[in-house]
Amino acid sequence: MPSAESVSDGLGRWPRFVVLLLGAALIAHGVLVGLWLAPSSPVRNVVGGSFLASYIDPYFKQGNDTLGIGSNRIDESLQIRAWVKKTPNSKKSKKTEWLDVTALETRRLRGDFAAARSHQAARRIAASLNLAMLQFNPEQLKVVAEFGADSDRESMRRELLGAGAKPLYVLNFLGADEMARRYASLWLGAEITDGEIVKVAYRVGRRQAPSVKDGSAATLKGRPFTWFDMGNRKPYRGTPEARAAFKDYVKARRHG
């Protein structure tokens, strides 16, 4: 009778390793969320509020009317506007009022606890822009605010590096800036049909509930926004398919 061959348990080691890795990731995630929601403490200060914000903000966005983890500690706003010429030969352009697209988005999503990622685009762009801007010092923020419609990606990069910004921070900003330029251009293009958009602009605001030490709830009520201005940009035209899709998207945000 032939002897039974020994069976290697190598296949069993990898599943165990994956389970342990996932378990460690869940524990780390729970610790970070707990620190984010906790009052100020020596441990929280060692980890750093900016690091916690960079982890929590992009993935657990909470508006005043949305469901989230713990209390509503962060609120962000993205506002957009355009400069419009009535005809191509017009010498002057008219500036529109600021439009708060995050407010429209929040109103549309009220009661929707399983919203698609695309339905929260404005808040996600606001989070990316705010995190990028928080990495700059006052001199660098002033450079960003003075960018104009003739400022392309390379010139913005040079000016920020020349102002002492770290290359990684500049890269983060340029990526978020391009997303905002396209989003603002397509949104405004879907609404403005009686003229030519020659420039777009956007700004982001951020407010945070204060830390509390007595265990009471920290709220955003009465807290002002800190605003970051970004100058203006050349509009993004996009493909016919993108423009058509944004018309439906804007209609849903406005009237849905």
Side-chain angles (χ1 to χ4, degrees):
M1 182 176 180
S3 60
E5 295 182 0
S6 61
V7 179
S8 171
D9 65 347
L11 293 177
R13 295 192 187 116
W14 282 108
R16 286 198 297 270
F17 174 76
V18 171
V19 169
L20 289 173
L21 187 63
L22 289 175
L26 286 173
I27 292 172
H29 167 75
V31 170
L32 290 173
V33 171
L35 285 173
W36 173 246
L37 296 175
S40 179
S41 67
V43 175
R44 193 179 192 279
N45 293 338
V46 168
V47 176
S50 60
F51 171 77
L52 292 171
S54 68
Y55 175 73
I56 296 294
D57 283 359
Y59 307 106
F60 301 100
K61 298 315 305 159
Q62 302 178 69
N64 290 328
D65 300 298
T66 59
L67 181 68
I69 300 173
S71 61
N72 180 27
R73 296 176 59 96
I74 297 289
D75 192 18
E76 293 173 293
S77 174
L78 174 65
Q79 298 187 352
I80 62 177
R81 72 178 356 167
W83 281 257
V84 183
K85 283 187 176 182
K86 286 295 183 181
T87 66
N89 296 326
S90 299
K91 294 183 178 179
K92 293 184 178 181
S93 58
K94 184 178 180 180
K95 182 170 57 179
T96 67
E97 298 293 328
W98 285 111
L99 173 65
D100 189 334
V101 286
T102 40
L104 292 174
E105 186 177 82
T106 297
R107 185 185 67 186
R108 176 66 178 85
L109 295 178
R110 186 174 293 123
D112 185 355
F113 300 140
R117 289 176 62 88
S118 61
H119 295 170
Q120 303 177 62
R123 190 166 292 277
R124 291 180 181 278
I125 291 173
S128 296
L129 281 173
N130 271 318
L131 287 174
M133 298 299 277
L134 288 170
Q135 295 173 325
F136 293 149
N137 63 33
E139 179 185 350
Q140 293 154 6
L141 292 174
K142 184 177 179 182
V143 170
V144 172
E146 293 176 351
F147 286 146
D150 57 344
S151 299
D152 58 20
R153 186 182 179 93
E154 180 58 27
S155 64
M156 290 191 290
R157 187 185 71 84
R158 287 197 305 268
E159 289 187 46
L160 284 170
L161 291 175
K166 295 182 178 179
L168 179 59
Y169 295 172
V170 175
L171 183 64
N172 291 340
F173 165 74
L174 292 176
D177 180 79
E178 182 61 19
M179 286 192 300
R181 183 178 78 93
R182 296 188 179 200
Y183 183 86
S185 298
L186 289 170
W187 179 295
L188 293 165
E191 287 209 325
I192 299 171
T193 58
D194 59 347
E196 178 189 2
I197 298 176
V198 294
K199 290 188 294 186
V200 297
Y202 35 89
R203 62 178 182 176
V204 285
R206 175 185 172 95
R207 59 179 178 169
Q208 181 171 349
S211 298
V212 292
K213 299 181 179 180
D214 58 3
S216 60
T219 69
L220 291 168
K221 186 176 180 180
R223 302 291 296 181
F225 279 97
T226 297
W227 290 100
F228 298 110
D229 291 311
M230 303 184 184
N232 50 67
R233 303 287 186 276
K234 181 180 179 180
Y236 170 77
R237 180 64 175 163
T239 64
E241 292 79 12
R243 296 196 298 272
F246 247 79
K247 285 185 178 180
D248 293 335
Y249 176 84
V250 170
K251 183 178 180 181
R253 304 282 81 71
R254 283 292 201 182
H255 308 294

